[in-house]
Amino acid sequence: MKIDELRNEYKKARLDEASAAASPFVQFRTWFDEALAAEVREPNAMTLATVREDGRPAARIVLLKGMEDERFLFYTNYDSEKGQELSRTPYAAMVFFWEPLERQVRIEGEVLRVDARVSDAYFETRPRQSQLGAWASAQSSMVDSRDELERRFAEVTRRFDGAPVPRPANWGGYAVVPSMFEFWQGRPGRLHDRLRYVRTSRGFERERLCP
Ligand SMILES: Cc1cc2nc3c(=O)[nH]c(=O)nc-3n(C[C@H](O)[C@H](O)[C@H](O)COP(=O)(O)O)c2cc1C
């Protein structure tokens, strides 16, 4: 199959003003629950785009780990490329693609570090291997070899032997405070449904976009 012959017709559902929630947070939760019910694999995986120092974009997948107080949480290494990018330009775009439901959600907003206690509480719930990995890996920095990475992992495993693994100070959560949501539902003939919610001084306002 040639790449330019790959083609899908979307016809599973529709998204209209009558059924979509007035609150984008409620709408997101509804779609997220439907993705869970449809057993979408890794429904909390999202593409996270940030801004490099030279103004160019950078994107990678991270996992959504919470939706609290109308903020979307994810965790990472604060010294990583994305962490440095967010220190300079604290704004991000997030994209979810739930293929079995023919849906995309885009969210944009300001990004803040979460309270250290929130990061501590989440770090404690992680499997021990992941906790040790956070110490062993200076995310996004160069490493000479796989062996070197495994040597560092063995070293921290010895260091914390028999003791709880504390959260490294450079590892923690970010909260995205949305200023824009777009809900996209694939439709036949490329006439997809797109509803955008934009934050205004009166709350979120909704508009329909051409596909
Ligand atoms: C499915 C999946 C989930 C991931 N989840 C995370 C995550 O929650 N946090 C994270 O820091 N990196 C996560 N990563 C790795 C990132 O995509 C990326 O490689 C890493 O964060 C370094 O990015 P950076 O150099 O731009 O900072 C995940 C990758 C995949 C494929």
Side-chain angles (χ1 to χ4, degrees):
M1 172 68 87
K2 288 166 60 191
I3 292 179
D4 64 0
E5 289 169 0
L6 289 168
R7 197 160 284 128
N8 265 319
E9 186 76 344
Y10 303 116
K11 44 190 163 210
K12 287 196 174 147
R14 58 173 57 204
L15 176 66
D16 57 41
E17 287 78 352
S19 58
S23 157
F25 298 98
V26 173
Q27 183 60 32
F28 183 88
R29 186 71 233 190
T30 301
W31 273 21
F32 192 79
D33 287 344
E34 288 173 8
L36 287 173
E39 298 184 359
V40 171
R41 261 177 70 83
E42 307 219 61
N44 58 332
M46 60 188 191
T47 300
L48 177 85
T50 48
V51 181
R52 287 194 206 278
E53 195 169 15
D54 60 7
R56 298 184 187 195
R60 79 292 284 156
I61 305 275
V62 295
L63 297 177
L64 178 69
K65 284 290 175 178
M67 273 179 276
E68 280 140 38
D69 304 325
E70 305 201 332
R71 305 177 326 162
F72 289 73
L73 307 189
F74 67 91
Y75 290 88
T76 193
N77 184 310
Y78 289 138
D79 297 330
S80 64
E81 288 282 352
K82 77 181 87 48
Q84 295 180 40
E85 288 155 13
L86 288 169
S87 295
R88 282 188 298 261
T89 310
Y91 292 89
M94 298 154 43
V95 186
F96 295 85
F97 177 44
W98 295 318
E99 184 277 331
L101 299 174
E102 302 172 348
R103 286 174 177 169
Q104 167 184 243
V105 182
R106 299 171 57 188
I107 301 173
E108 294 172 10
E110 191 173 1
V111 185
L112 315 166
R113 285 192 190 190
V114 303
D115 201 279
R117 279 167 308 183
V118 174
S119 295
D120 287 338
Y122 174 67
F123 190 79
E124 253 180 58
T125 69
R126 301 185 85 207
R128 191 174 173 86
Q129 295 282 101
S130 308
Q131 294 176 332
L132 292 168
W135 282 94
S137 164
Q139 193 177 55
S140 313
S141 66
M142 276 188 276
V143 61
D144 286 342
S145 64
R146 174 85 206 178
D147 281 351
E148 168 60 14
L149 194 58
E150 291 185 7
R151 197 195 55 70
R152 289 185 202 171
F153 188 84
E155 194 270 314
V156 296
T157 303
R158 276 194 305 278
R159 191 182 343 153
F160 294 113
D161 187 31
V165 183
R167 175 178 66 88
N170 65 353
W171 188 98
Y174 284 105
V176 179
V177 183
S179 52
M180 191 286 294
F181 288 75
E182 183 200 318
F183 295 87
W184 182 101
Q185 176 73 60
R187 297 292 307 275
R190 297 290 180 263
L191 289 181
H192 313 304
D193 287 324
R194 299 177 66 191
L195 293 184
R196 179 166 69 187
Y197 296 69
V198 180
R199 191 189 286 275
T200 73
S201 54
R202 296 172 302 283
F204 277 92
E205 292 192 348
R206 196 171 68 188
E207 55 212 7
R208 177 174 285 269
L209 301 174
C210 286

